[in-house]
Amino acid sequence: MIGAIHFGVLAACFVLFVPMAMAGWHLSRNKMLFFSCALFISLAVCVHLTPYFPSVSDIVASVSSVVVYDHRVSCINEVNQIVWDVKPRPNPESVRRNNGSKLDYFDKNWDWMKSRKVLSCEFQKLDKFDVSELLNGSWVVVAGDSQARFVALSLMNLMLGPDSEAMDSVKSDLFRRHSDYSIVVKEIGMKLEFVWAPYEKDLDDLVLSYKKKNKYPDVVIMGSGLWHMLHVNNASDFGYRLKQLSSHVESLMPFSPKEQEGRGSVSGSRSMHLFWIGMPVLINGMLNTEEKKVKMSDTVWHEYDRSLGESKILRQMGGPLILLDIQSFTWNCGPQCTIDGMHYDSAVYDAAVHVMLNALLIESHQTL
Ligand SMILES: *[C@@H]1O[C@H](CO)[C@@H](O)[C@H](O)[C@H]1NC(C)=O
Ligand SMILES: *[C@@H]1O[C@H](CO)[C@@H](O)[C@H](O)[C@H]1NC(C)=O
Ligand SMILES: *[C@@H]1O[C@H](CO)[C@@H](O)[C@H](O)[C@H]1NC(C)=O
């Protein structure tokens, strides 16, 4: 009410003083009268129409939320922009003395690209405490083939510390071949599950089992493709399976991503966050069996990659899953980062985990 009175007084002053000021500019009396009336009428029209328009604060709020939303979308698009710095260790002798593997002869460092756009997103490598806060109370599932297993291992490494006793037991349990694994990090009540699901059908079954039980993890990180490539070797079938997976994932999204509110951790937001672990670059000459060299050729790899794109399972194609771009990480890390041309140095999977966590931060509207 006070606002309306102030506005009225202001308007009156306007109508009175603007023409008077103009009179000082030697306008004729008729012109002055004309300006006066014109001002009065336009102000009156404004005042009477105001209630029919959303208030200014509403407009400002909606504009700013669009801006924030755009920023989120564009930063999700930039989150995989990583550059690598791989160079020989200065002291190869000590690596040899410690029976180091071929991988140990190279130092591998990575960081987000220093372009203006990427810098504006303020991506950061999170430490143990940041992750504890972000994943506090949440249920995280990593599902897929051996690439997924390495991602799970990197995540545990970050949360438990690489040299901890807990990590030793995680390593031995997680690497029992082809089996599931689950651990609860008691301090933060976080549950991490690794589900061995080498085929897309296995991932699909997993997703449907959540739907059936009506219980959904907070974060699902999944990926497959290499087993299908080796044992089925049919890119259009791969694409078909992914489309099926994608439609099932979409059908069970209980809440749209836009509905959630920012809270302390991802477990507070009422939505699943979904990620796809991309396929690594395969270095054909380094693959360790003849069968792999024949069936997992560059041509087949590209057919599979095209099927992935066409399945529209990825966010960048309008689908539900955010890509962790293992392809670009492995390509840029290079042959120094792999022994068998298929599984890469832990640095690659560490990068994938940090990309995932930064995307989670953006998705759950948080800054640290
Ligand atoms: C390296 O391997 C040799 C032979 O396999 C072994 O005798 C030696 O103890 C190993 N050294 C280290 C540091 O593990
Ligand atoms: C996790 O959440 C609980 C309950 O909200 C809180 O008491 C605890 O301090 C949190 N722990 C961390 C590490 O953030
Ligand atoms: C590949 O998969 C598609 C779709 O499942 C199927 O129609 C086609 O016959 C398969 N091709 C071969 C060569 O098996």
Side-chain angles (χ1 to χ4, degrees):
M1 206 56 220
I2 300 291
I5 291 170
H6 282 175
F7 187 71
V9 171
L10 196 70
C13 293
F14 222 65
V15 173
L16 196 65
F17 291 118
V18 168
M20 272 170 77
M22 283 176 161
W25 282 18
H26 311 289
L27 290 178
S28 72
R29 214 174 56 183
N30 280 347
K31 275 187 185 156
M32 223 175 87
L33 212 61
F34 171 76
F35 273 117
S36 215
C37 284
L39 263 171
F40 181 79
I41 290 169
S42 28
L43 280 171
V45 166
C46 283
V47 165
H48 285 96
L49 285 185
T50 303
Y52 300 101
F53 288 108
S55 72
V56 174
S57 65
D58 282 353
I59 292 175
V60 169
S62 66
V63 167
S64 69
S65 79
V66 166
V67 170
V68 167
Y69 185 70
D70 274 355
H71 184 71
R72 272 173 60 204
V73 170
S74 75
C75 283
I76 290 279
N77 291 340
E78 302 297 321
V79 73
N80 281 298
Q81 301 280 5
I82 278 179
V83 286
W84 289 82
D85 176 24
V86 180
K87 49 180 181 247
R89 282 256 161 86
N91 46 354
E93 269 316 308
S94 76
V95 177
R96 207 161 297 140
R97 238 178 293 128
N98 290 320
N99 298 342
S101 81
K102 183 200 137 200
L103 296 178
D104 297 328
Y105 287 96
F106 291 90
D107 272 327
K108 300 154 204 92
N109 292 300
W110 62 272
D111 206 346
W112 279 276
M113 201 178 275
K114 295 274 182 280
S115 75
R116 205 162 52 91
K117 208 165 168 192
V118 174
L119 283 173
S120 80
C121 295
E122 298 178 331
F123 298 129
Q124 50 190 314
K125 295 183 188 177
L126 307 194
D127 64 18
K128 185 177 165 173
F129 300 101
D130 300 334
V131 180
S132 306
E133 205 170 297
L134 182 64
L135 296 180
N136 190 355
S138 60
W139 174 18
V140 178
V141 174
V142 185
D145 55 18
S146 50
Q147 304 289 325
R149 194 203 305 272
F150 279 115
V151 170
L153 190 67
S154 277
L155 181 56
M156 292 318 295
N157 234 339
L158 185 56
M159 300 196 56
L160 299 175
D163 300 320
S164 63
E165 260 176 55
M167 202 53 215
D168 286 341
S169 83
V170 168
K171 270 186 201 151
S172 67
D173 287 345
L174 195 53
F175 279 86
R176 265 181 300 154
R177 269 177 80 81
H178 306 175
S179 56
D180 297 352
Y181 175 75
S182 150
I183 181 176
V184 173
V185 185
K186 283 204 199 70
E187 301 83 54
I188 57 168
M190 174 219 171
K191 181 173 167 193
L192 178 103
E193 270 180 359
F194 171 74
V195 181
W196 174 246
Y199 290 107
E200 302 62 45
K201 177 80 173 64
D202 302 323
L203 294 174
D204 203 17
D205 289 346
L206 183 70
V207 163
L208 290 176
S209 79
Y210 297 138
K211 186 171 188 168
K212 205 161 155 203
K213 285 181 254 169
N214 197 24
K215 281 181 76 176
Y216 304 97
D218 301 294
V219 181
V220 182
I221 307 159
M222 57 178 145
S224 68
L226 296 176
W227 279 59
H228 195 285
M229 194 185 291
L230 184 61
H231 299 292
V232 182
N233 206 244
N234 178 343
S236 53
D237 186 66
F238 178 64
Y240 166 75
R241 302 279 174 194
L242 287 182
K243 270 180 213 152
Q244 213 159 30
L245 175 62
S246 176
S247 75
H248 285 147
V249 166
E250 277 182 337
S251 78
L252 64 71
M253 294 293 267
F255 307 100
S256 83
K258 278 170 228 160
E259 250 179 72
Q260 41 179 297
E261 297 293 322
R263 300 255 198 96
S265 76
V266 287
S267 71
S269 66
R270 306 180 304 152
S271 167
M272 269 207 296
H273 301 278
L274 297 143
F275 297 91
W276 180 259
I277 303 166
M279 264 195 300
V281 167
L282 300 176
I283 302 179
N284 198 267
M286 294 171 92
L287 296 178
N288 56 15
T289 68
E290 266 318 300
E291 191 191 9
K292 284 182 187 166
K293 284 183 188 174
V294 173
K295 291 192 173 162
M296 307 177 100
S297 66
D298 288 351
T299 318
V300 175
W301 190 97
H302 282 289
E303 284 171 9
Y304 270 67
D305 190 47
R306 201 168 324 121
S307 288
L308 174 67
E310 286 168 2
S311 75
K312 298 201 166 50
I313 196 173
L314 299 180
R315 178 78 67 90
Q316 67 221 52
M317 302 289 177
L321 273 64
I322 296 173
L323 175 69
L324 307 177
D325 197 352
I326 301 284
Q327 179 195 347
S328 101
F329 307 160
T330 51
W331 174 259
N332 291 310
C333 197
Q336 301 93 324
C337 299
T338 176
I339 290 175
D340 63 3
M342 178 185 285
H343 301 98
Y344 280 76
D345 191 279
S346 57
V348 164
Y349 305 101
D350 289 346
V353 164
H354 283 284
V355 164
M356 186 275 293
L357 292 169
N358 275 270
L360 261 186
L361 276 176
I362 298 171
E363 286 280 290
S364 50
H365 303 257
Q366 288 177 49
T367 49
L368 284 175

